[in-house]
Amino acid sequence: MSKLSIINREKKRELLILKYKEIRNNLKKNIKNEKNIKKKYNLIKKLQNLPRNSNPTRKRNRCFLTGRSRGYFRRFGLSRIKIREMAIKGEIPGIIKASW
């Protein structure tokens, strides 16, 4: 299981992403459409002054049960280890562990 501080940091990032999403998208759209170089430069500066953690690329996918970041399956929102455990127990409908 991941450290609680790392999981909380990710939750903070998610909130910042949601908070600044509209502002970030508007700035990017204005930068793209702006013809005047000085105005464009000022818009880029405003975009750079937004918090770093409000950028969606800084978000890391994590297992919602353990907080594990590696071996993450988007379809389930779980790490590979938890998927295997739950599949063996039969807790995920339609998934069974292969055996031959």
Side-chain angles (χ1 to χ4, degrees), residues 11-95:
K11 288 178 184 175
K12 239 191 222 183
R13 281 184 181 148
E14 287 179 29
L15 292 175
L16 277 173
I17 289 167
L18 291 174
K19 181 179 178 182
Y20 287 98
K21 184 177 184 177
E22 196 172 317
I23 296 168
R24 184 174 287 279
N25 288 338
N26 287 337
L27 281 171
K28 282 186 172 186
K29 187 173 63 174
N30 292 340
I31 289 168
K32 194 173 187 178
N33 295 331
E34 188 59 54
K35 302 294 182 204
N36 187 345
I37 293 173
K38 288 188 178 183
K39 288 182 182 177
K40 192 171 192 172
Y41 178 77
N42 288 334
L43 290 171
I44 291 171
K45 278 290 186 191
K46 284 183 184 177
L47 184 65
Q48 288 175 346
N49 287 333
L50 293 178
R52 271 192 178 172
N53 286 333
S54 68
N55 193 343
T57 57
R58 289 180 66 97
K59 184 184 174 295
R60 179 92 171 159
N61 291 327
R62 292 188 173 274
C63 174
F64 74 91
L65 292 177
T66 61
R68 183 180 169 86
S69 63
R70 302 204 177 181
Y72 176 83
F73 285 75
R74 286 183 185 201
R75 183 175 180 184
F76 304 105
L78 296 168
S79 67
R80 61 183 174 81
I81 297 164
K82 284 297 171 184
I83 288 175
R84 184 174 187 274
E85 288 175 5
M86 292 174 81
I88 290 169
K89 291 179 187 174
E91 294 175 352
I92 303 176
I95 303 265

